[in-house]
Amino acid sequence: MNKSQFIDGIIYLKTLTFKRFWNGVLLLFSYYFSKITKKNYQKGFPISIAFEPTTTCNLKCPHCPSGLRQFSRPTGNATNSIFEKLLSEVSPYLTYLIFYFQGEPYINKHFLDWVKLASEKNIYTATSTNAHYLTEEIAEKTVLSGLSRLIISLDGANQETYQKYRIGGNIDKVWKGVENVVAFKKKHNSKTPFIMLQFIVFKHNEHEIEQIKSIGKKLGIDKVVIKTAQIYDYENETDFIPENSTYSRYKKDKNKVILKNKLENSCWKMWHSCVITWDGKVVPCCFDKDATHHLGDLKKYSFNEIWKNDTYKAFRNSLLQSRKEIDICKNCTEGTKVWA
């Protein structure tokens, strides 16, 4: 652990009030009690939430609904009213808020204003971006917003490799965006955001892992993360699956490709976190990219009502009985160690 990682950990720990700490204890107890009894038991509220600023993206990545423009659900940009309602209801117990689900967060002009509001309530904030919008002006605003963590996707060490997945992307813009954020962190003597360079491993870029680590150091990145790729049609489309199984969520089994995860009938995410779509729908997790499992609507109900409603209870119970029967769980790595 380097100095910046240590500071990042301290920043997160400072979000823990007694109320938030006790809420976390209740969640842990609820989860393990439910796991043992195989019946849903829920005390406490989520400590982590993902909020979707927009479904729009400037790139066309081939294994992303935003990139493919293939959502079956409505698309659009979140509004102030939806976010402010959510924040007012969850801030007493929430410790981690990531502004990302699908789409490029910086496309929503209100995004950094929401980060500032959450930061003022002592919530650890994060986002994931392709870094094409990090001009000097936006980079400085990012630093001043109080954003705790900035995850930047860079899946190639050069333009040729990068554009094979990040279709429409420009690697020079990514590098310049990183440089801008690093520069304004220094200018304002800011410890945040903690900058993570995320490298998703595919067959075409797995030979560049060591090179991307070196690039990260040169750019002043706080941490380089090597992440496995989620492939939607992994049984048939193997062109993107790495040869080295260390960097893959999948493995070969005779003449087919299968998920490494054995899909245990439990999932910590269902007890401590959830996702809010741009239009206020509450869905179980980030694997439900089309929001097919609609658990509640913030435009009609409070978050607390949704979190403990009968629909949510039924979903958790179905997971405890047979997780493999739930469509969004079939390509999930929760419970499986991912190399990083």
Side-chain angles (χ1 to χ4, degrees):
M1 180 184 292
N2 58 35
K3 182 180 178 181
S4 57
Q5 287 175 290
F6 177 78
I7 293 172
D8 180 57
I10 295 298
I11 289 172
Y12 178 76
L13 287 175
K14 285 183 177 179
T15 68
L16 293 178
T17 61
F18 177 79
K19 188 172 186 177
R20 289 174 178 173
F21 174 79
W22 182 243
N23 178 67
V25 171
L26 291 175
L27 286 174
L28 277 170
F29 175 78
S30 297
Y31 170 65
Y32 282 107
F33 186 81
S34 299
K35 187 175 180 180
I36 292 168
T37 63
K38 296 299 179 183
K39 292 182 180 180
N40 173 67
Y41 179 77
Q42 186 66 45
K43 290 290 183 181
F45 295 94
I47 57 175
S48 173
I49 285 179
F51 180 77
E52 180 180 59
T54 182
T55 53
T56 304
C57 188
N58 54 309
L59 303 186
K60 296 182 178 181
C61 305
H63 285 280
C64 172
S66 293
L68 293 169
R69 297 1 180 210
Q70 289 183 352
F71 285 113
S72 61
R73 62 182 169 103
T75 57
N77 295 304
T79 61
N80 283 322
S81 59
I82 288 289
F83 178 74
E84 289 171 4
K85 179 180 188 295
L86 173 69
L87 187 64
S88 67
E89 294 177 359
V90 303
S91 59
Y93 44 81
L94 196 69
T95 62
Y96 187 93
L97 178 56
I98 181 165
F99 291 87
Y100 178 75
F101 178 29
Q102 297 298 294
E104 168 53 48
Y106 280 92
I107 288 176
N108 191 314
K109 63 181 181 180
H110 301 296
F111 158 58
L112 290 175
D113 296 327
W114 298 336
V115 170
K116 188 173 182 180
L117 287 174
S119 298
E120 289 172 351
K121 290 186 178 292
N122 193 31
I123 296 171
Y124 188 99
T125 55
T127 196
S128 181
T129 176
N130 59 48
H132 281 64
Y133 292 91
L134 291 173
T135 60
E136 289 189 2
E137 178 186 357
I138 299 300
E140 183 170 31
K141 190 175 179 181
T142 297
V143 172
L144 296 177
S145 72
L147 182 70
S148 308
R149 175 171 295 189
L150 180 65
I151 304 167
I152 294 174
S153 297
L154 182 63
D155 313 316
N158 55 68
Q159 179 63 25
E160 181 182 2
T161 306
Y162 176 72
Q163 68 184 1
K164 285 184 179 179
Y165 184 71
R166 302 287 170 178
I167 296 173
N170 184 323
I171 199 169
D172 290 331
K173 279 191 175 182
V174 180
W175 287 339
K176 182 60 178 175
V178 175
E179 290 171 357
N180 286 339
V181 177
V182 170
F184 282 109
K185 277 183 68 175
K186 291 179 180 178
K187 176 182 176 180
H188 294 285
N189 193 28
S190 177
K191 295 181 175 64
T192 58
F194 180 81
I195 307 173
M196 292 176 59
L197 194 65
Q198 181 174 272
F199 184 85
I200 302 178
V201 183
F202 299 102
K203 183 183 290 186
H204 63 265
N205 68 4
E206 59 185 311
H207 63 287
E208 294 181 339
I209 291 174
E210 294 306 316
Q211 189 177 354
I212 209 72
K213 290 179 181 178
S214 298
I215 289 172
K217 289 181 180 179
K218 291 178 182 178
L219 290 173
I221 295 295
D222 295 307
K223 185 178 181 179
V224 175
V225 175
I226 309 301
K227 185 179 179 182
T228 60
Q230 180 187 16
I231 310 297
Y232 285 93
D233 189 13
Y234 60 86
E235 293 178 332
N236 301 306
E237 190 174 343
T238 59
D239 290 345
F240 283 93
I241 298 177
E243 295 290 344
N244 189 335
S245 62
T246 303
Y247 309 119
S248 178
R249 302 181 185 191
Y250 314 96
K251 63 180 179 180
K252 292 182 180 179
D253 182 37
K254 297 180 181 179
N255 296 322
K256 62 180 181 178
V257 178
I258 62 173
L259 191 69
K260 288 179 180 178
N261 194 354
K262 294 182 180 179
L263 294 181
E264 179 184 346
N265 290 332
S266 64
C267 181
W268 170 229
K269 283 187 178 225
M270 292 305 100
W271 272 259
H272 88 277
S273 67
C274 68
V275 172
I276 314 297
T277 64
W278 70 274
D279 53 351
K281 303 296 191 303
V282 179
V283 298
C285 72
C286 60
F287 281 86
D288 192 6
K289 303 191 189 306
D290 263 321
T292 55
H293 296 275
H294 176 198
L295 303 173
D297 189 339
L298 284 176
K299 295 192 294 294
K300 298 178 181 179
Y301 304 98
S302 71
F303 181 84
N304 293 357
E305 288 174 314
I306 296 169
W307 183 247
K308 296 193 176 183
N309 68 20
D310 289 340
T311 306
Y312 228 132
K313 290 176 183 177
F315 186 86
R316 293 192 188 100
N317 274 320
S318 65
L319 183 147
L320 291 166
Q321 298 304 313
S322 184
R323 184 176 163 198
K324 66 181 180 181
E325 301 299 323
I326 303 174
D327 56 347
I328 62 172
C329 296
K330 292 179 180 179
N331 193 11
C332 174
T333 56
E334 180 70 12
T336 299
K337 184 178 180 181
V338 177
W339 190 93

